[in-house]
């Protein structure tokens, strides 16, 4: 079994473990959506600031890895990248604290009021971003996924439990429970940072080398900096962080908590995508360097179909089981049921994204990477404008946010499909995707019309099970997805080889 399949499968397993942890956590978070919304405001806001600190250097660590590896300068690149983060963060701090002098209203934002945790978290996540991309060059993504997927969930859950426990110990309202909870929250990310250092050193001993001679030679630093800059511009398409930030500022922390809860459910659909994207980046880079467009197209179609099939199966189960799941929430479950359209709208947009595969990776790793920056800025701009429209001119609230995300994300993906086909003659779309859509639609329709039992628990189990059985039967006759490749002795053995 190839390292891509093995690492990608392990990555997905970690993702599902994280999802199960997140699912269990949902029942706990529903006890105080406002504080959960605060936690979900802090990290996305820090993630919005990270690009200004990393400045695209993490992507350059993938783009130029083969070159520096050949010249024996990997450690030099890593060392200077970390140093650049420190310098960039110092500049970012200066700008951040100067903003109120020009825009006094900035002090009224939640980002300013809780800057004491957002700013340190920004620096920590920036360092982690460098190590994450650097490690991916070794085609090792499982351990980094533990850091990126499980640690944030543990941070959220642990901080929330600490807050709930301490809040119950204080008769009068106090800021102490929140402060202690946030200390734990940040501590988990600090631990993640040191974990990255340890694992990177295990792969290859870290030898800090801050000399600039290699980068000055033939003006390599200019090429490196130019790619980093355009990589930085391309990071503004993080619509999830934008949504969390705008919901927190315009609607409040409780709505942000609801949004984050729904996102936790929908995120199950895209778990396989994250693993394959990280492990595929070096392969895409090699195909582009070798000019092997036929191999890239074949890999693109196969990966996209796999992602779409898995995502469609998971989405079908979610939309059928979601209404019944809300009845088991300790409280506030009715709030989630009111926003059921968000699950349908948002989930459909994610499926479209899965069907397009790693379109963005192809563009960003090619000589046309600047075009990817343009459409990423388009995505960010369109998302912000649509969010503002729906938040200020309609009563749709979170449904409006879901619509704006669906519109901007679909537009973004259509443009990428057209560009890649024109420039590289590669496309993620296949006829099999139509069959997947038909099979899943029929399975969902049958599950909906089936009678409901009095027990919501029974309905939550048996209806998704019916969906799975019908999809399995449809796949058995159409042979769309090679299930047998993943359900055999050799592949299962390879899963437990964590190398």
């Amino acid at each position: 079994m190839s390292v891509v399949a093995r690492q990608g499968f392990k990555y997905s397993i970690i993702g599902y473990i994280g999802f199960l942890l997140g699912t269990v956590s949902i029942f706990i978070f529903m006890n105080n959506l406002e504080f959960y919304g605060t936690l979900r405001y802090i990290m996305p806001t820090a993630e919005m600031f990270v690009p200004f600190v990393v400045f695209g250097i993490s992507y350059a660590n993938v783009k130029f890895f083969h070159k520096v590896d050949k010249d024996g300068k990997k450690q030099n690149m890593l060392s200077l990248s970390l140093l650049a983060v420190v310098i960039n963060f110092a500049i970012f701090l200066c700008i951040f604290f100067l903003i109120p002098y020009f825009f006094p209203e900035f002090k009224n934002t939640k980002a300013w009021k809780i800057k004491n945790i957002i700013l340190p978290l920004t620096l920590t996540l920036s360092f982690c971003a460098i190590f994450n991309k650097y490690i991916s060059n070794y085609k090792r993504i499982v351990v980094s996924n533990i850091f990126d997927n499980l640690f944030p969930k543990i941070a959220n859950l642990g901080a929330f439990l600490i807050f709930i426990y301490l809040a119950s110990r204080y008769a009068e309202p106090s800021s102490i429970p929140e402060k202690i909870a946030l200390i734990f929250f940040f501590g988990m990310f600090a631990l993640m940072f040191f974990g990255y250092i340890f694992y990177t050193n295990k792969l290859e001993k870290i030898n800090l080398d801050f000399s600039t001679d290699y980068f000055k030679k033939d003006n390599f630093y200019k090429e490196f900096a130019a790619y980093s800059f355009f990589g930085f511009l391309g990071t503004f398409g993080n619509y999830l962080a934008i949504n969390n930030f705008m919901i927190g500022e315009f609607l409040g922390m409780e709505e942000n908590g609801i949004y984050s809860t729904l996102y936790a459910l929908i995120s199950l659909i895209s778990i396989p995508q994250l693993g394959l994207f990280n492990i595929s980046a070096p392969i895409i880079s090699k195909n582009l360097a070798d000019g092997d467009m036929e191999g890239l197209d074949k890999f693109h179609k196969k990966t996209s179909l796999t992602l779409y099939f898995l995502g469609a199966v998971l989405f079908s189960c979610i939309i059928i089981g979601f209404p019944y799941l809300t009845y088991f929430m300790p409280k506030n479950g009715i709030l989630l049921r009111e926003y059921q359209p968000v699950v349908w709208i948002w989930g459909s947009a994610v499926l479209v994204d899965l069907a397009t595969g790693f379109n963005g990776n192809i563009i960003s790793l090619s000589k046309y990477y600047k075009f990817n920056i343009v459409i990423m800025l388009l995505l960010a701009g369109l998302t912000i404008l649509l969010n503002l429209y729906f938040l200020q001119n309609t009563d749709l609230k979170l449904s409006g946010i879901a619509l704006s995300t669906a519109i901007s994300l679909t537009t973004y993906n259509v443009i990428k499909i057209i560009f890649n086909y024109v420039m590289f003659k590669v496309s993620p779309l296949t006829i099999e995707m139509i069959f997947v859509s038909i099979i899943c639609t029929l399975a969902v329709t049958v599950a909906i019309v089936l009678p409901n039992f009095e027990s919501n628990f029974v309905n939550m189990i048996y209806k998704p099970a019916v969906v799975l059985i019908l999809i399995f039967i449809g796949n058995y006759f159409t042979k769309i997805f090679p299930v047998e490749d993943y359900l055999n002795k050799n592949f299962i053995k390879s899963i437990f080889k964590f190398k």
Side-chain angles (χ1 to χ4, degrees):
M1 181 60 62
S2 69
V3 66
V4 174
R6 187 169 63 248
Q7 286 281 306
F9 195 88
K10 293 175 186 177
Y11 191 105
S12 296
I13 288 179
I14 299 300
Y16 292 128
I17 292 174
F19 171 77
L20 291 175
L21 179 61
T23 301
V24 173
S25 300
I26 287 174
F27 293 89
I28 300 174
F29 294 146
M30 293 299 290
N31 287 288
N32 193 316
L33 284 172
E34 184 174 356
F35 183 69
Y36 176 53
T38 299
L39 293 175
R40 291 304 306 144
Y41 175 87
I42 291 172
M43 185 172 177
T45 302
E47 288 176 332
M48 284 180 57
F49 292 158
V50 164
F52 295 96
V53 178
V54 176
F55 218 74
I57 296 173
S58 59
Y59 298 101
N61 271 250
V62 175
K63 172 69 174 179
F64 298 104
F65 183 81
H66 293 295
K67 171 181 171 58
V68 297
D69 184 25
K70 181 179 178 181
D71 297 335
K73 291 294 182 178
K74 290 184 296 184
Q75 296 296 318
N76 188 210
M77 180 180 71
L78 177 62
S79 302
L80 291 178
S81 297
L82 296 174
L83 178 61
V85 165
V86 174
I87 296 173
N88 291 344
F89 183 69
I91 297 173
F92 175 79
L93 283 182
C94 293
I95 297 174
F96 184 87
F97 284 102
L98 282 175
I99 291 178
Y101 290 97
F102 299 96
F103 304 96
E105 62 274 13
F106 182 65
K107 286 190 175 182
N108 296 324
T109 64
K110 296 179 177 66
W112 177 266
K113 293 176 181 177
I114 51 179
K115 61 183 178 297
N116 290 340
I117 184 172
I118 290 177
L119 293 177
L121 184 59
T122 298
L123 178 61
T124 303
L125 292 177
S126 298
F127 282 131
C128 291
I130 297 294
F131 280 111
N132 180 283
K133 293 298 183 182
Y134 183 82
I135 289 173
S136 71
N137 291 301
Y138 292 87
K139 298 181 181 179
R140 297 293 182 266
I141 60 173
V142 176
V143 174
S144 61
N145 187 35
I146 293 175
F147 294 143
D148 289 351
N149 199 340
L150 295 185
F151 273 54
K153 289 181 173 60
I154 295 173
N156 279 321
L157 180 58
F160 189 88
L161 291 175
I162 290 173
F163 173 79
I164 293 296
Y165 172 75
L166 292 180
S168 66
R169 306 284 291 182
Y170 286 83
E172 299 294 331
S174 172
S175 62
I176 295 178
E178 181 172 331
K179 288 180 178 179
I180 295 178
L182 293 181
I183 289 174
F184 173 85
F185 182 77
F186 174 75
M188 287 303 302
F189 289 98
L191 183 61
M192 180 175 75
F193 169 50
F194 289 113
Y196 264 119
I197 295 176
F198 175 81
Y199 184 63
T200 304
N201 190 67
K202 184 177 180 181
L203 288 175
E204 181 178 349
K205 186 174 179 59
I206 298 177
N207 294 306
L208 296 179
D209 178 7
F210 296 105
S211 64
T212 58
D213 295 341
Y214 176 76
F215 279 79
K216 288 180 180 179
K217 184 179 179 181
D218 298 324
N219 291 324
F220 175 52
Y221 73 94
K222 291 184 179 181
E223 184 181 2
F224 190 90
Y227 187 86
S228 297
F229 175 70
F230 284 101
F232 155 70
L233 293 178
T235 57
F236 287 105
N238 188 348
Y239 62 90
L240 296 176
I242 293 172
N243 288 347
N244 270 119
F245 178 79
M246 296 186 71
I247 292 171
E249 293 291 343
F250 284 89
L251 297 179
M253 292 306 182
E254 183 176 69
E255 285 78 6
N256 203 30
I258 296 173
Y259 171 85
S260 299
T261 301
L262 295 175
Y263 168 68
L265 292 171
I266 296 298
S267 63
L268 172 65
I269 302 173
S270 57
I271 288 174
Q273 178 190 49
L274 300 176
L276 284 175
F277 279 13
N278 278 277
I279 195 64
S280 298
I283 298 174
I284 297 170
S285 182
K286 186 177 185 303
N287 282 334
L288 290 172
D290 297 340
D292 185 9
M293 296 300 105
E294 183 178 349
L296 180 61
D297 183 56
K298 183 178 179 181
F299 184 51
H300 193 16
K301 282 181 166 59
K302 180 179 179 181
T303 304
S304 300
L305 177 60
T306 299
L307 291 175
Y308 184 68
F309 178 83
L310 294 176
V313 172
L314 295 170
F315 180 55
S316 299
C317 293
I318 288 174
I319 58 178
I320 289 299
F322 173 75
Y324 308 107
L325 176 66
T326 59
Y327 286 98
F328 296 93
M329 301 296 180
K331 68 176 186 176
N332 296 322
I334 190 173
L335 295 177
L336 296 185
R337 285 197 298 277
E338 290 177 357
Y339 283 110
Q340 186 173 349
V342 173
V343 178
W344 285 79
I345 297 170
W346 197 359
S348 299
V350 173
L351 278 184
V352 172
D353 191 49
L354 290 175
T356 62
F358 43 72
N359 265 325
N361 295 58
I362 294 175
I363 299 173
S364 62
L365 292 172
S366 72
K367 63 181 180 180
Y368 301 108
Y369 63 87
K370 294 180 182 179
F371 178 78
N372 203 42
I373 311 308
V374 175
I375 56 176
M376 286 294 282
L377 291 174
L378 171 66
L379 172 62
L382 189 57
T383 299
I384 294 172
L385 290 175
L386 289 173
N387 280 351
L388 287 173
Y389 173 79
F390 285 116
L391 289 172
Q392 296 180 343
N393 298 285
T394 72
D395 295 324
L396 293 175
K397 295 184 178 179
L398 295 184
S399 295
I401 296 292
L403 278 172
S404 70
T405 300
I407 294 171
S408 58
L409 189 59
T410 301
T411 303
Y412 169 70
N413 281 309
V414 169
I415 293 174
K416 288 191 297 181
I417 290 176
I418 296 173
F419 182 85
N420 279 340
Y421 184 76
V422 172
M423 293 298 177
F424 305 107
K425 303 303 178 185
V426 299
S427 171
L429 306 179
T430 60
I431 190 66
E432 287 83 1
M433 289 182 179
I434 297 178
F435 295 132
V436 172
S437 301
I438 293 174
I439 292 172
C440 290
T441 300
L442 290 175
V444 170
T445 302
V446 171
I448 290 176
V449 300
L450 284 175
N452 289 328
F453 291 96
E454 293 184 2
S455 171
N456 287 312
F457 179 78
V458 173
N459 292 328
M460 186 179 67
I461 299 299
Y462 107 87
K463 286 206 169 187
V466 169
V467 170
L468 286 175
I469 291 172
L470 292 177
I471 292 176
F472 179 80
I473 293 174
N475 183 69
Y476 176 79
F477 288 103
T478 57
K479 306 295 182 182
I480 296 173
F481 185 77
V483 178
E484 62 277 2
D485 289 351
Y486 294 86
L487 296 179
N488 60 69
K489 184 177 180 181
N490 292 332
F491 184 78
I492 294 175
K493 280 185 177 180
S494 70
I495 294 173
F496 298 98
K497 297 178 182 178
F498 281 84
K499 293 182 178 181

